[in-house]
Amino acid sequence: MNLVYRNGDVSNIGLTPVVGIREYSNTNSLPLMPSTSYRNVYAAVTVSSTLTGLSWPSGVAGRDQQLGTFGANQVSLMVADTPGAGGSPGSVQLDTTVPSAAVVLISVPGKSDGKPTWILGDPVGSELGTTTILEL
């Protein structure tokens, strides 16, 4: 949507924004993969009977958390995002050890068209130009 609005070239963008998936067993910490683009979404899924809370690392903004049950277990889906590309932002800290978990990294496209773009919260990935577009 961002590129279409800016009249960008969308012909070379794939329809699968999932960059990576990592699975974990018997852990209370979920290391996040390095971000890859100007906006990244992390989705963490856990299966546990005792999980009640979590903490995203600094610079990663938690957006939503959904809890459900499957038999005796609680299935949790937590979503957060972060601007900028670079190294791993850290790890999600869980308040208990979970038997099974996965983290999915989704990269939101929008800066690959070569146009100068100012990205809120990402001065390193931002470029100023005569027609700079403000991204939210």
Side-chain angles (χ1 to χ4, degrees):
M1 293 298 292
N2 175 32
L3 287 175
V4 171
Y5 174 76
R6 294 167 46 204
N7 298 313
D9 180 8
V10 296
S11 61
N12 293 322
I13 294 178
L15 297 176
T16 55
V18 173
V19 175
I21 300 173
R22 288 192 182 160
E23 297 179 28
Y24 303 95
S25 297
N26 299 316
T27 186
N28 66 351
S29 179
L30 308 175
L32 299 176
M33 294 156 274
S35 55
T36 61
S37 186
Y38 90 93
R39 175 66 64 183
N40 297 274
V41 176
Y42 292 97
V45 179
T46 64
V47 176
S48 172
S49 59
T50 58
L51 180 70
T52 60
L54 71 142
S55 176
W56 292 98
S58 177
V60 179
R63 299 298 178 191
D64 198 7
Q65 178 175 335
Q66 299 294 322
L67 304 176
T69 56
F70 184 79
N73 289 318
Q74 176 178 307
V75 179
S76 302
L77 171 63
M78 294 87 52
V79 180
D81 67 3
T82 184
S88 172
S91 298
V92 177
Q93 297 302 313
L94 307 175
D95 68 356
T96 189
T97 298
V98 298
S100 182
V103 175
V104 178
L105 173 60
I106 302 164
S107 182
V108 180
K111 193 170 179 283
S112 59
D113 60 6
K115 294 182 180 179
T117 306
W118 180 255
I119 304 154
L120 290 177
D122 186 12
V124 174
S126 299
E127 300 172 33
L128 293 177
T130 57
T131 59
T132 299
I133 308 294
L134 177 65
E135 297 291 345
L136 299 177

